[in-house]
Amino acid sequence: MPSPQALSVRSMLQQLRASQNPAEQSLEAQRSGLDQMGQTIPKPDHVLVERTSFDGVPGEWISIAGAPTERVILYLHGGAYYMGSCESHRSLAWRLAEASEARIALVEYRLAPEHRFPAAVEDAVKAYKSLLAQGIEPNRIAIAGDSAGGGLTMATLISLRDEGTSLPACAALLSPWTDLAGTGPSMESRAPYDPWLEPEGIRKAPLLYCSPDQLTHPLVSPLYADLAGLPPVLIHVGRDECLLDDSVRLYDKIREAGGEAQLHIWEDMWHVFHSFPIPEADEALREIGTFIQRRIPR
């Protein structure tokens, strides 16, 4: 049974979706709306934020006062590749920093449609390499991301593997968007239960980022990639989201390729529920934090 807080947020999301038509909103309005949603959890004083650049990719170092900083998470925000920023994801990042006892490199990769594929992948790879250039060992780094950032996390791992760069210790994916072609059965079967996303919007958004013939490119939709030789991956997804099968099929493919993967399907939850001030999100972030700590021990 979902918590009262989760039921309240679900109702809010349903009302928001009913009152807003993304097709009628400007990009600026959609970006501003996501930024505002990300600011609903105030930042505590013990959370430290330092604006910086990761080899030209803007972002922030987010850390917890007095906490060790040897464990690093490169975090790639969601937002369908055309929204998202440090403003929209800072609260999720500092909560993950607490749960994992790590500092977070939260980056702002270039967004579509101003910068289309492969700009986001190039920036994520560049940000990861900047961490290595700072002397951070790859076995002290995790990569994590939600939604489009989850798909981008996979694309980054694939790119690093293919070019022979040392891979991070592990990766965590929060409701990853891994099939921009939108072929998963859950796109339709879970639509009646999804309080936030709907199939039509999910299938339109990718065309801001890539051309129709690129929808199944392995760095656009990692579900179609060779997934062998990657570090351990933890995948979280809500049972009630249209993108459920983006996670389930990715998990199956990683395992089929001989990789290590864990999949947790959260009952009664929606897309990137981790972002919201609900007990289920706190529990999920603790699980991610434990996963990362076990693979990057002190």
Side-chain angles (χ1 to χ4, degrees):
M1 183 70 182
S3 67
Q5 297 94 324
L7 292 173
S8 177
V9 170
R10 174 183 285 272
S11 177
M12 179 271 292
L13 291 172
Q14 291 171 328
Q15 294 173 20
L16 184 66
R17 187 177 69 176
S19 65
Q20 294 182 352
N21 182 354
E24 298 175 356
Q25 289 185 301
S26 67
L27 283 177
E28 291 73 18
Q30 293 181 62
R31 288 169 175 170
S32 176
L34 188 61
D35 284 353
Q36 291 175 22
M37 186 177 292
Q39 296 167 18
T40 57
I41 304 177
K43 181 182 77 65
D45 290 341
H46 67 272
V47 174
L48 308 178
V49 178
E50 177 190 355
R51 191 70 182 175
T52 189
S53 171
F54 300 92
D55 191 19
V57 181
E60 295 176 350
W61 276 115
I62 298 177
S63 58
I64 307 302
T69 59
E70 295 85 0
R71 185 184 290 126
V72 172
I73 301 172
L74 174 63
Y75 196 87
L76 305 174
H77 67 74
Y81 291 106
Y82 71 90
M83 298 181 289
S85 68
C86 289
E87 292 295 328
S88 66
H89 281 71
R90 188 177 298 117
S91 64
L92 178 55
W94 67 253
R95 290 161 68 210
L96 180 58
E98 286 189 325
S100 57
E101 298 183 4
R103 58 177 173 148
I104 307 286
L106 176 61
V107 302
E108 293 180 328
Y109 53 86
R110 288 171 290 171
L111 297 177
E114 296 91 341
H115 305 281
R116 292 164 65 85
F117 173 75
V121 181
E122 292 172 345
D123 286 358
V125 169
K126 184 184 292 187
Y128 176 79
K129 290 181 177 179
S130 80
L131 299 179
L132 301 182
Q134 293 176 47
I136 303 171
E137 295 295 330
N139 63 1
R140 309 302 299 168
I141 302 173
I143 305 183
D146 63 281
S147 192
L152 183 56
T153 295
M154 291 301 300
T156 302
L157 294 175
I158 293 162
S159 297
L160 294 171
R161 178 202 63 194
D162 289 351
E163 66 180 34
T165 299
S166 297
L167 295 173
C170 59
L173 313 178
L174 291 59
S175 298
W177 194 21
T178 64
D179 179 15
L180 274 63
T183 65
S186 62
M187 286 284 284
E188 308 300 336
S189 66
R190 304 313 297 170
Y193 308 97
D194 195 319
W196 195 0
L197 305 180
E198 47 81 28
E200 182 181 3
I202 296 172
R203 289 187 173 118
K204 286 182 177 179
L207 298 182
L208 292 173
Y209 178 58
C210 67
S211 60
D213 64 335
Q214 293 175 317
L215 288 173
T216 57
H217 188 291
L219 297 183
V220 171
S221 295
L223 188 65
Y224 301 92
D226 171 9
L227 299 178
L230 301 179
V233 177
L234 172 63
I235 306 169
H236 277 190
V237 66
R239 175 76 70 184
D240 288 355
E241 58 176 292
C242 291
L243 294 179
L244 171 61
D245 283 332
D246 281 43
S247 290
V248 173
R249 292 180 295 163
L250 180 71
Y251 167 77
D252 289 340
K253 285 203 65 175
I254 292 173
R255 302 267 294 183
E256 290 168 3
E260 180 182 344
Q262 300 177 35
L263 172 66
H264 189 158
I265 301 174
W266 291 77
E267 298 298 329
D268 302 307
M269 290 294 107
W270 55 86
H271 190 63
V272 199
F273 66 93
H274 312 69
S275 299
F276 297 90
I278 59 176
E280 292 88 346
D282 295 337
E283 181 184 351
L285 289 170
R286 285 194 295 270
E287 182 174 284
I288 295 171
T290 298
F291 169 82
I292 291 173
Q293 289 182 55
R294 286 175 176 170
R295 281 148 187 83
I296 311 178
R298 292 284 178 217

